[in-house]
Amino acid sequence: MKIGDWLDQRTGHRAAVRWALDEPVAGGASFAYVFGSVLAFLLVMQIVTGVLLATAYSPSATDAWASVAYIQDEMTLGWFVRGLHSHGASAMVVVAGLHLMQTALYGAYRAPRELNWWVGVLMLGVLLAFALTGYLLPWDQTGYWATKVATGIAGTTPIAGQAIQEIAQGGNEYGNLTLTRFFALHVLVLPGAMVALFTLHLFLFRRHGVTPHWWLDREQLEKRTRPFWPDQMFKDTAAMAAVFAVLVGINLWNGGVALDAPADPSTSFDARPEWYFRPLFQALKYFEGPMEKLVALGLPAVLGGFLIALPLIDRGESRSPRRRWKQLGALGVIALLMIALTAVSFREDAGDPRVQKGNHEAEGRARLSRTLAKMFGVPAEGGTAVYEQAPHARARTLWREHCAGCHQGGKRQGPEIGPGYNSRGWIRDFLAAPSGPRFFGPTKIRGMEPVEVRGEELDAVVELVYGQTGAPDADAAKVARGKTVFADECASCHSMDDKSEGSAPNLGGRGSVEMLAGFMARPDHPRWFGKANEMPAFFDDLDRDDRRALAEYLVMLRGRPWH
Amino acid sequence: MADERPTPQANRRRFLEVATLALGGAVGVVLSVPLVRYFLFPIGRKVVSSPDAPVDVCALSAVPADGRPVQVAVVSQAQRDAWVVRQEVAVGSAWVRRDRAGKVVAVSGQCPHLGCAIGFDGERFRCPCHKSSFKATGERESGPSKRGLDPLEATVKGGRVLVRFRRFRPDVAERIEV
């Protein structure tokens, strides 16, 4: 007995398959009817890619961003799977829109199919809820701030607004519970709802059959009837394949989707929602105050209400679009308006230098955080703690706070200290023009003349000073020669040991970690600048660890190119 | 004789059937390849790892002179677990003792059978899970374990005992590091 027969005896599967495939399509198979099947395919693809993402994603405020960065940057083709999932959502919105327009055009909401239309509208709502909940999950700057706007809007609902917002975000503020709730919705509740609605949708559809072309009469419809399999199924599959090809193409072209820097509640971030929510985003720009709140809730409500009302406001015998131009016209105008608003929104952003600058900075932050995460891992505190992984992270913060103002940039008040500080090039340039604009120029210190030695002797002196920093690559022979030159040319003012005080700074150990840490604390010490000093003493403001961190940072800068 | 050539309709139907299956199959295959590769990511990969270096486990004075083993926690300073890097994480346990010659030696606290944490009852090492037992030297005595306790590299530096923690494949006779 063949396996097919064995199975059929026990399950009766052949009858089920025949029921599924032998559906007669009145008026013949058509590309007009493919959108529903394409949506079903995309839904399956979303579920599969979603499950795969869920095997690596962690829905906690500490771990979420790091887990998505891990998927994106370290897991095999993680970027591709995530990109398919995100672009797949956009594809579903587009195809859902097409499906809606086609069924509306054909009058598929007319009796006896009103219920199926409403189930479809509900499914559209579930789709948008999917998109909204999914956008937050990476817990990056964009997802975090964009969703905050959305829950904020929900909070303006009259009477129950506060409660709704607190239920949605799991409390008084965004945090762990927000993410767990959104995750549960996105992965458990909404998929269940979608599958249930889809089953109902399919059942009702099969019960009444496809809504065929309005221009064919009963006789023509019958004559052109074809079976679902293979005629319609072929067109459905061709459409699925085409959509899939475009989706993969877009995914490859864009290298997946973006991941922003970790969510940072202390910053203000000009976030944008996904493109299909831009019509509302843009529309809200034209209203202020209480009108804005009204539109934020009212516009979606009115649109949803119109869709729901369609079967009731468009009743009659003929499905000819000419007889229904008012209702179809309204639908068309709404669609065009939404497309227009989306286009305007993107155009405005493209032409706004502030937005472009913000995007550029955001991209830089994203690149930095993702590189640090990949190289060093994210500390257990998660999210923004990743920045602490940068080498000299603490020193850089201290430098920006206490030192950069005087030692870098246009408003400098002291010698230029940055990449290349105490490199051979820096020392050479200093010796050539100690009071020049890059060194003591901005200060009142004028005591040192440009050094007159040249050639090998200059090289030797440079190497001697360079060696004082503790650089491991200082040339011992040159340093020895340098000591001789120093004795002739410099020793009249400068000492080079561990304690002498004089009219010029003692160059012993100059630029080493120990010297720099001590110098910062008391630059006015007689060993160094004494009464000529203009630099604040950081003995109180910076403790030993901070000074040491800064000193190590400055020694690291020595290895950077000096321009 | 009846005309057995397939009708144009039958040909057309056949074409559509084959084309549908081929197209659908192609989409399925193209979709599956990256998804399967993504799913198989963890195979052969050290997703959880900590630095190889020996870890300070206890003071030398804490190891009894009479050869009795003491249990120590092995705390790694930088455990990398997928995306996170954790400080001060206990990655395992070890038993440290002085051997006959007085040298400090260590064995892994993980039972070579199926990985439970073994205990010491005063005379021998015993595993609470499936009752494997080992001599105080780590040698296998009885029970389901296929080999003795896994030795770990122990060094003494500046009055402290350092142990290099390694993991080995469970339930095999050969000692294979994982």
Side-chain angles (χ1 to χ4, degrees):
Chain A
M1 176 195 290
K2 286 175 36 210
I3 292 188
D5 296 334
W6 187 93
L7 208 58
D8 192 45
Q9 262 185 23
R10 284 147 185 78
T11 65
H13 75 279
R14 288 203 177 117
V17 170
R18 242 176 292 128
W19 175 89
L21 299 183
D22 272 358
E23 170 205 345
V25 182
S30 167
F31 276 108
Y33 311 140
V34 299
F35 300 114
S37 300
V38 173
L39 277 171
F41 162 72
L42 288 173
L43 179 64
V44 170
M45 194 195 77
Q46 291 296 88
I47 292 175
V48 172
T49 52
V51 167
L52 285 174
L53 290 172
T55 61
Y57 170 76
S58 175
S60 103
T62 0
D63 275 327
W65 182 88
S67 69
V68 177
Y70 189 74
I71 291 171
Q72 183 87 15
D73 297 326
E74 300 197 53
M75 289 188 70
T76 312
L77 292 175
W79 67 269
F80 184 82
V81 176
R82 179 167 177 252
L84 262 190
H85 196 74
S86 177
H87 289 305
S90 293
M92 278 193 85
V93 172
V94 170
V95 179
L98 293 171
H99 186 55
L100 187 153
M101 300 299 275
Q102 184 266 320
T103 46
L105 180 68
Y106 273 56
Y109 48 66
R110 288 274 188 82
R113 296 182 177 85
E114 302 97 322
L115 212 57
N116 208 18
W117 172 263
W118 289 329
V119 171
V121 173
L122 270 178
M123 288 170 82
L124 181 63
V126 171
L127 179 62
L128 294 175
F130 261 120
L132 201 97
T133 49
Y135 208 49
L136 178 68
L137 298 185
W139 207 251
D140 63 353
Q141 286 280 62
T142 305
Y144 181 88
W145 291 103
T147 313
K148 264 207 160 191
V149 170
T151 49
I153 292 176
T156 64
T157 310
I159 305 164
Q162 176 86 338
I164 292 176
Q165 186 170 1
E166 290 186 351
I167 290 174
Q169 65 189 33
N172 58 320
E173 246 301 337
Y174 265 49
N176 269 327
L177 284 191
T178 321
L179 208 42
T180 50
R181 278 173 180 249
F182 272 59
F183 185 69
L185 278 173
H186 191 84
V187 167
L188 298 168
V189 177
L190 291 172
M194 187 64 112
V195 169
L197 288 171
F198 173 71
T199 311
L200 186 56
H201 201 67
L202 209 58
F203 166 74
L204 287 172
F205 165 72
R206 281 300 301 263
R207 185 176 166 78
H208 300 295
V210 73
T211 307
H213 312 302
W214 63 82
W215 61 84
L216 299 173
D217 62 36
R218 168 90 53 100
E219 208 185 295
Q220 288 168 310
L221 284 176
E222 256 185 64
K223 218 177 85 175
R224 298 178 198 209
T225 295
R226 286 274 176 281
F228 174 74
W229 169 267
D231 294 64
Q232 184 62 48
M233 187 64 181
F234 171 73
K235 291 190 158 86
D236 287 357
T237 309
M240 280 184 231
V243 168
F244 179 66
V246 170
L247 197 52
V248 171
I250 291 177
N251 198 25
L252 290 172
W253 179 266
N254 287 323
V257 292
L259 175 66
D260 253 321
D264 189 350
S266 69
T267 58
S268 70
F269 190 86
D270 194 15
R272 293 286 177 274
E274 263 297 24
W275 65 267
Y276 32 85
F277 290 125
R278 286 242 184 180
L280 186 62
F281 171 75
Q282 185 65 20
L284 288 179
K285 287 189 183 170
Y286 305 131
F287 302 92
E288 277 174 19
M291 268 309 278
E292 191 183 0
K293 290 204 178 109
L294 192 66
V295 172
L297 286 174
L299 205 55
V302 164
L303 284 176
F306 174 69
L307 288 178
I308 292 172
L310 260 177
L312 306 171
I313 64 175
D314 179 13
R315 287 190 280 212
E317 270 305 311
S318 169
R319 283 187 294 119
S320 164
R322 246 191 296 265
R323 310 271 169 91
R324 303 153 54 218
W325 68 270
K326 290 203 196 97
Q327 297 90 336
L328 291 179
L331 194 60
V333 165
I334 290 172
L336 283 172
L337 249 168
M338 293 184 72
I339 294 173
L341 282 170
T342 309
V344 169
S345 178
F346 275 105
R347 255 242 314 245
E348 264 183 30
D349 279 351
D352 185 342
R354 216 179 28 92
V355 170
Q356 292 307 309
K357 183 162 172 283
N359 287 347
H360 190 72
E361 280 170 9
E363 276 168 38
R365 286 299 268 179
R367 245 199 315 272
L368 173 65
S369 53
R370 284 166 67 175
T371 309
L372 288 174
K374 184 162 181 182
M375 286 174 71
F376 305 113
V378 180
E381 302 83 48
T384 47
V386 72
Y387 297 117
E388 290 160 26
Q389 297 289 72
H392 306 284
R394 187 163 153 215
R396 285 177 211 264
T397 315
L398 291 167
W399 179 263
R400 256 197 308 271
E401 229 178 278
H402 297 281
C403 327
C406 283
H407 283 292
Q408 284 180 309
K411 304 222 181 75
R412 242 185 325 112
Q413 293 179 28
E416 190 177 325
I417 297 182
Y421 171 62
N422 282 339
S423 62
R424 292 183 179 93
W426 190 96
I427 295 169
R428 196 178 291 272
D429 284 354
F430 173 80
L431 293 178
S435 302
R438 292 186 92 175
F439 303 105
F440 285 122
T443 73
K444 293 198 193 72
I445 293 173
R446 291 286 179 275
M448 177 166 165
E449 295 294 326
V451 167
E452 277 168 2
V453 286
R454 296 276 177 273
E456 271 181 26
E457 286 190 331
L458 179 57
D459 289 348
V461 164
V462 167
E463 199 73 11
L464 171 68
V465 175
Y466 179 72
Q468 290 299 306
T469 67
D473 62 335
D475 183 317
K478 282 197 185 148
V479 167
R481 178 91 200 279
K483 284 204 176 105
T484 329
V485 180
F486 183 84
D488 292 335
E489 305 288 331
C490 326
S492 49
C493 295
H494 289 287
S495 46
M496 193 179 260
D497 56 33
D498 59 1
K499 59 180 179 305
S500 302
E501 300 163 12
S503 55
N506 184 332
L507 302 178
R510 185 194 160 282
S512 66
V513 173
E514 292 72 30
M515 175 267 169
L516 286 168
F519 173 81
M520 266 179 245
R522 298 237 69 112
D524 57 343
H525 192 280
R527 255 184 84 187
W528 295 306
F529 286 108
K531 294 209 174 45
N533 180 57
E534 289 171 36
M535 173 172 154
F538 285 96
F539 187 76
D540 290 322
D541 289 335
L542 297 172
D543 64 25
R544 279 183 67 200
D545 290 332
D546 285 345
R547 294 198 305 266
R548 192 171 183 93
L550 276 165
E552 283 171 359
Y553 172 62
L554 291 173
V555 168
M556 179 277 293
L557 285 178
R558 186 189 66 212
R560 291 287 157 84
W562 163 254
H563 298 296
Chain B
M1 188 150 92
D3 191 338
E4 295 201 355
R5 265 176 317 165
T7 60
Q9 291 102 311
N11 275 337
R12 179 176 172 278
R13 189 186 163 87
R14 189 100 190 93
F15 168 75
L16 288 179
E17 285 176 355
V18 170
T20 305
L21 289 172
L23 250 182
V27 169
V29 167
V30 170
L31 186 56
S32 309
V33 169
L35 299 187
V36 169
R37 283 190 63 194
Y38 168 91
F39 184 67
L40 298 180
F41 166 80
I43 294 184
R45 210 174 276 262
K46 272 200 143 196
V47 174
V48 182
S49 66
S50 35
D52 244 344
V55 173
D56 182 323
V57 293
C58 67
L60 182 59
S61 49
V63 186
D66 62 2
R68 211 177 4 105
V70 283
Q71 192 176 31
V72 293
V74 178
V75 175
S76 165
Q77 275 322 307
Q79 185 196 51
R80 193 80 188 253
D81 179 1
W83 55 80
V84 80
V85 58
R86 299 189 190 103
Q87 321 278 25
E88 299 274 331
V89 182
V91 293
S93 72
W95 289 85
V96 180
R97 65 180 176 92
R98 286 188 192 274
D99 67 5
R100 283 278 192 82
K103 181 166 170 286
V104 170
V105 293
V107 287
S108 172
Q110 234 180 319
C111 183
H113 176 225
L114 289 174
C116 291
I118 53 156
F120 186 74
D121 69 0
E123 264 188 55
R124 53 180 50 80
F125 288 107
R126 275 192 209 280
C127 181
C129 291
H130 308 99
K131 310 286 183 284
S132 299
S133 79
F134 311 85
K135 294 205 182 120
T137 54
E139 225 178 288
R140 184 183 163 278
E141 234 180 14
S142 72
S145 176
K146 295 194 169 86
R147 62 177 194 265
L149 296 178
D150 299 316
L152 300 174
E153 212 181 288
T155 43
V156 178
K157 222 184 212 172
R160 307 288 304 179
V161 177
L162 301 140
V163 170
R164 233 185 111 223
F165 190 76
R166 297 153 75 197
R167 266 182 242 277
F168 302 90
R169 195 181 297 180
D171 204 27
V172 288
E174 214 189 313
R175 195 157 282 134
I176 304 166
E177 187 167 2
V178 294

